[in-house]
Amino acid sequence: MPASRTKKVTPKPIVTEAAAPGSSGKQVTKTTINEIARLAGVSKKTVSRVINRSPLVREDTRLKVETLMRDVGYVPDPMARALAFRRSFLIGMVYDNPNAEYIVNMQNGALDSLRGTGYELVVHPCDSKNADYIEGVRRFILQHKLYGVFLVPRVSEDQELVDMLVEHDCRYARIAAISLDADSKMITTNDRKGAVEVAKYLESLGHKHIAMITGPHRYLSTRERGGGFLETLANRGMKVPAEYILEGGYTFESGVACAEKLLALNPRPTAIFTLNDEMAAGVYKAAHKLGLSVPEDVSVVGFDDSPIASRLWPSLSTVRLPIRDMGLHAAAMLLADVAKPGSAPVITPHLVVRESCQPPR
Amino acid sequence: MPASRTKKVTPKPIVTEAAAPGSSGKQVTKTTINEIARLAGVSKKTVSRVINRSPLVREDTRLKVETLMRDVGYVPDPMARALAFRRSFLIGMVYDNPNAEYIVNMQNGALDSLRGTGYELVVHPCDSKNADYIEGVRRFILQHKLYGVFLVPRVSEDQELVDMLVEHDCRYARIAAISLDADSKMITTNDRKGAVEVAKYLESLGHKHIAMITGPHRYLSTRERGGGFLETLANRGMKVPAEYILEGGYTFESGVACAEKLLALNPRPTAIFTLNDEMAAGVYKAAHKLGLSVPEDVSVVGFDDSPIASRLWPSLSTVRLPIRDMGLHAAAMLLADVAKPGSAPVITPHLVVRESCQPPR
DNA sequence: CTGAAAGCGCTTACAG
DNA sequence: CTGAAAGCGCTTACAG
């Protein structure tokens, strides 16, 4: 019995009533740090040191306290700790991305990292087109004293937002297509590499008339994906004419509209690369409208590997972005000093070949 | 100047250094309840009463304190309040639903309610097939002393979960197809009504051979949607033969598999109602495989009105469930005593007619 | 209607 | 390596 080891204990008999086992149906008095300290025969400060993994504790003292905490099922109160620490145990996910699949995947990845750590995930969607969205994030992190936040594209690309976080000394991690910050704050997704694969693939199939529907140019992902694609083709001696490159909005509707224009061109492109899957679905619709078939009349490649890719008919070849891993690494990075360190955020997208491409006829 | 009104103040000059405007770039000392009390010339307890909207405050006192708080930009610290209240300002969303669109919509609805209240949304996905998922939820609500949680189908249908919440005196709200609890705890979605509309619609088009692909029978939504559909048809003298009713898994793949069986039947059904959109997408794929067209050879109706419905070709007629409203009402219900009351959770789904149905030929 | 005291369950200086 | 004191910023009894 650990309790029998108790030496001279601070006499606080009235305050610390131990939850005597069997005294009542359920445990009424929640165990606190005082109770643990009393049972272990040490000061609460020592227990606190054990909780916070301070090296300034003798090994046997630490063991005794740890065992006791485990046996009793003691978990320190995050509210009390937050008050004293002036920092909560909440991790914020700040995003401005309407793609539900993307968001849920990322949440799940982050939750994978947070599970068992005592930290919780708080979601904060915002509208980066609204000038004062940064004020909203400021209130969010300040009011609840967030432990840290991770930023999803496109808000991750906004230096003003980051400056605000720095000003308030708020931990953060940024997810973006290229590095925009110190290594310890970046999850880099290398979108370019995925686009390079697509270019090589379409070229290997023998396509000469290749078109592209991009996202908004203000997005880094657009510049990286589009840039990597065109550059690779250029390196292989294929210059994509300007009229074959249209700017979409990463939406289904913009995919339809752009594809209708492209498919009316002469010569008609034999392959279209859309910088996300939503727009690829739009290309399918436009092709059907015009009586053209995928891939017989036009090959299509998307980007993201969202669920719609495998639900389309024919199923869509696309670049898979390991979104869940991105969320996992982002959260892990925020807890780096708390949890398992050394999780290297190496994200590499890959082409997934399905049924939407064939050689031109 | 409110400060000049100060009468006899508790002398705490050292502790409460007012953040003198212009003294430094940014406000270092955060204003606390003590500061407000000092400036208003009242006790901190009175300020506390104002914060908590206690009626036991003289109207002019309340006004003075409220004005002061607003002017100074004072916001009470949720951590300190949580510690004293023994309850945090976190609302949990507990779900077991793989549909990303559904989850994100619901989150957004909940956030609509929470905005400006000082409460935050914490997400907690779980696996209801895993027996000890209830233990996971227990730790979740206990450790962070959640203010309340709302339960999304299918976990909302699990009475064991609810019993656990009651045991710990945790506020909750349940979202389900029919009422399973007191009115003050239920958001009822009336899935049945949507299915009734579908039955009437297909019958009005003249279909005689109508098939259905359901979700798992253990889901309330399956029983309500399927039941409403079959009952309505029966009332109109149409008995659906057993081989026309297949149990799917609410997944794309199960939709494909079930549709392949149904479309091989003789006589072939001229219309298929799938109890969600994912499976409807599967029907499209199966039809294509067999060289059949939608809606010429087979009409299809889905349920949910997820984004895939309008991206399919032809676009899918389906039942729209106002998911965002469900989340909004659920969160509002939890804060009922805190925020605007009287938000009656009346959810009614409606058929959205698009291009996937026509009379049988 | 208002307030002084004690406490929520931890941690930060500060000593030793 | 360990501890007693004070404090984090609020609220709950308890008085008046």
Side-chain angles (χ1 to χ4, degrees):
Chain A
M1 288 281 289
S4 60
R5 289 198 186 181
T6 310
K7 358 176 193 171
K8 236 189 253 167
V9 301
T10 332
K12 285 190 178 179
I14 298 170
V15 177
T16 53
E17 326 173 62
S23 64
S24 138
K26 51 183 173 180
Q27 184 175 327
V28 178
T29 315
K30 222 198 117 191
T31 16
T32 71
I33 196 173
N34 291 305
E35 181 66 9
I36 299 293
R38 196 178 62 84
L39 291 175
V42 299
S43 77
K44 65 202 283 195
K45 179 57 209 169
T46 296
V47 177
S48 173
R49 285 199 180 89
V50 172
I51 293 170
N52 294 295
R53 306 190 190 295
S54 157
L56 305 175
V57 182
R58 235 175 43 214
E59 205 34 57
D60 60 331
T61 309
R62 172 192 311 287
L63 209 66
K64 181 170 62 179
V65 174
E66 276 178 347
T67 308
L68 192 58
M69 293 197 297
R70 198 171 308 117
D71 289 354
V72 177
Y74 166 73
V75 178
D77 183 329
M79 267 72 230
R81 298 227 287 161
L83 183 58
F85 268 142
R86 292 158 188 77
R87 182 155 271 174
S88 76
F89 292 85
L90 302 175
I91 299 293
M93 169 165 157
V94 178
Y95 61 95
D96 168 31
N97 182 326
N99 186 302
E101 206 63 45
Y102 190 97
I103 295 310
V104 166
N105 268 327
M106 190 152 291
Q107 281 181 188
N108 287 336
L111 288 164
D112 286 344
S113 276
L114 264 33
R115 200 155 294 131
T117 63
Y119 287 77
E120 295 292 342
L121 183 67
V122 184
V123 294
H124 188 87
C126 50
D127 177 10
S128 72
K129 285 184 184 149
N130 189 330
D132 60 310
Y133 91 97
I134 293 184
E135 274 316 303
V137 178
R138 187 200 303 272
R139 279 195 300 274
F140 176 60
I141 64 163
L142 249 37
Q143 185 173 358
H144 289 270
K145 304 209 189 73
L146 288 210
Y147 185 84
V149 297
F150 63 94
L151 312 178
V152 178
R154 193 188 84 90
V155 293
S156 64
E157 302 166 13
D158 188 344
Q159 189 59 41
E160 260 191 78
L161 210 209
V162 172
D163 291 344
M164 184 277 285
L165 295 174
V166 171
E167 177 191 342
H168 293 292
D169 200 33
C170 178
R171 285 178 185 74
Y172 66 87
R174 300 166 77 168
I175 299 169
I178 58 169
S179 182
L180 300 168
D181 210 313
D183 277 2
S184 64
K185 303 192 173 308
M186 286 299 312
I187 313 289
T188 309
T189 58
N190 290 308
D191 292 37
R192 177 170 286 256
K193 287 192 183 172
V196 168
E197 279 192 48
V198 175
K200 291 181 182 170
Y201 175 60
L202 289 178
E203 196 250 349
S204 76
L205 287 177
H207 287 280
K208 306 291 179 202
H209 302 290
I210 302 178
M212 174 167 76
I213 304 177
T214 76
H217 289 315
R218 67 188 191 106
Y219 283 62
L220 248 184
S221 60
T222 291
R223 300 201 294 277
E224 284 301 300
R225 295 173 189 180
F229 185 69
L230 295 179
E231 192 179 286
T232 305
L233 289 180
N235 286 344
R236 301 178 166 232
M238 298 179 62
K239 165 108 180 70
V240 178
E243 65 268 26
Y244 272 20
I245 305 174
L246 259 38
E247 179 177 357
Y250 276 152
T251 64
F252 176 74
E253 289 73 18
S254 69
V256 176
C258 291
E260 285 178 343
K261 285 182 200 156
L262 289 176
L263 294 174
L265 254 33
N266 194 346
R268 195 172 67 211
T270 58
I272 300 179
F273 176 35
T274 61
L275 298 194
N276 76 353
D277 290 346
E278 277 288 300
M279 296 192 295
V283 175
Y284 274 54
K285 174 157 182 176
H288 276 291
K289 265 194 191 172
L290 298 170
L292 301 172
S293 323
V294 177
E296 289 78 4
D297 299 304
V298 58
S299 291
V300 182
V301 182
F303 204 109
D304 282 348
D305 196 20
S306 68
I308 202 174
S310 43
R311 276 149 190 65
L312 286 170
W313 178 260
S315 60
L316 178 69
S317 295
T318 182
V319 176
R320 172 175 294 163
L321 215 43
I323 296 170
R324 187 166 182 145
D325 287 349
M326 289 152 57
L328 186 145
H329 283 119
M333 186 171 271
L334 289 173
L335 304 189
D337 32 334
V338 191
K340 51 250 163 182
S343 34
V346 183
I347 304 291
T348 316
H350 281 298
L351 175 65
V352 179
V353 174
R354 294 209 180 87
E355 309 167 334
S356 61
C357 298
Q358 67 174 40
R361 51 181 174 192
Chain B
M1 289 282 288
S4 62
R5 290 197 184 181
T6 308
K7 354 175 194 172
K8 237 189 252 168
V9 301
T10 332
K12 286 190 178 177
I14 298 170
V15 177
T16 54
E17 328 172 60
S23 65
S24 138
K26 51 185 173 181
Q27 184 174 326
V28 178
T29 315
K30 223 198 115 190
T31 19
T32 73
I33 196 173
N34 291 305
E35 180 66 10
I36 299 292
R38 196 178 63 83
L39 291 174
V42 299
S43 77
K44 64 202 283 196
K45 178 58 211 168
T46 296
V47 178
S48 173
R49 286 200 181 89
V50 173
I51 292 170
N52 294 295
R53 305 190 191 295
S54 158
L56 305 175
V57 183
R58 235 175 44 216
E59 200 44 42
D60 59 332
T61 310
R62 171 191 311 285
L63 210 65
K64 182 171 60 180
V65 173
E66 276 177 347
T67 308
L68 192 58
M69 293 198 297
R70 197 171 309 116
D71 290 353
V72 176
Y74 167 73
V75 177
D77 182 329
M79 267 73 230
R81 297 227 287 161
L83 182 58
F85 267 141
R86 293 159 190 76
R87 180 155 272 176
S88 77
F89 292 85
L90 301 175
I91 299 293
M93 170 165 155
V94 178
Y95 62 95
D96 169 31
N97 182 327
N99 185 303
E101 206 63 46
Y102 190 97
I103 294 309
V104 166
N105 268 327
M106 190 153 290
Q107 281 181 188
N108 286 337
L111 288 165
D112 286 344
S113 277
L114 264 33
R115 200 157 292 132
T117 62
Y119 287 77
E120 295 293 343
L121 183 67
V122 183
V123 294
H124 188 88
C126 49
D127 176 10
S128 72
K129 283 182 184 151
N130 188 331
D132 60 311
Y133 91 98
I134 293 184
E135 274 315 303
V137 178
R138 188 200 302 271
R139 277 194 301 274
F140 175 61
I141 64 164
L142 249 36
Q143 184 173 0
H144 289 271
K145 303 207 189 75
L146 288 210
Y147 184 83
V149 296
F150 64 94
L151 312 179
V152 178
R154 194 190 80 92
V155 293
S156 64
E157 300 165 15
D158 188 344
Q159 190 58 40
E160 260 191 78
L161 210 209
V162 172
D163 290 344
M164 184 277 285
L165 295 173
V166 170
E167 177 190 341
H168 293 292
D169 200 34
C170 178
R171 286 178 184 73
Y172 66 88
R174 300 167 77 168
I175 299 170
I178 59 171
S179 182
L180 301 168
D181 211 313
D183 277 1
S184 63
K185 304 195 173 306
M186 285 299 311
I187 313 290
T188 308
T189 59
N190 291 307
D191 291 38
R192 176 170 287 256
K193 287 191 182 173
V196 168
E197 279 192 48
V198 175
K200 290 182 181 168
Y201 174 60
L202 289 178
E203 196 251 349
S204 76
L205 287 176
H207 287 280
K208 305 293 179 201
H209 303 291
I210 302 178
M212 173 167 76
I213 304 177
T214 75
H217 289 314
R218 67 190 191 106
Y219 283 63
L220 247 182
S221 61
T222 291
R223 301 201 293 277
E224 284 300 301
R225 295 172 189 181
F229 185 69
L230 295 179
E231 191 179 287
T232 306
L233 289 179
N235 287 344
R236 302 180 163 228
M238 298 179 64
K239 167 107 179 67
V240 178
E243 65 270 27
Y244 273 20
I245 305 174
L246 258 38
E247 178 177 358
Y250 275 153
T251 63
F252 175 74
E253 289 72 19
S254 69
V256 176
C258 291
E260 284 178 343
K261 285 182 200 158
L262 289 175
L263 294 173
L265 254 33
N266 194 346
R268 195 172 66 209
T270 59
I272 299 179
F273 176 36
T274 61
L275 298 194
N276 76 352
D277 290 346
E278 277 289 300
M279 296 193 295
V283 175
Y284 274 55
K285 174 157 183 178
H288 276 291
K289 265 195 193 173
L290 299 170
L292 300 172
S293 324
V294 177
E296 290 77 5
D297 299 304
V298 58
S299 291
V300 182
V301 182
F303 204 110
D304 281 347
D305 195 21
S306 68
I308 201 174
S310 43
R311 276 148 189 67
L312 285 171
W313 178 259
S315 62
L316 177 69
S317 295
T318 182
V319 176
R320 171 176 295 164
L321 215 45
I323 296 170
R324 187 165 182 146
D325 287 349
M326 289 152 56
L328 185 145
H329 284 120
M333 186 171 270
L334 290 173
L335 304 189
D337 33 332
V338 191
K340 51 252 163 180
S343 35
V346 182
I347 304 290
T348 316
H350 281 299
L351 175 65
V352 179
V353 174
R354 294 209 181 86
E355 310 166 334
S356 60
C357 297
Q358 68 175 40
R361 51 183 174 191

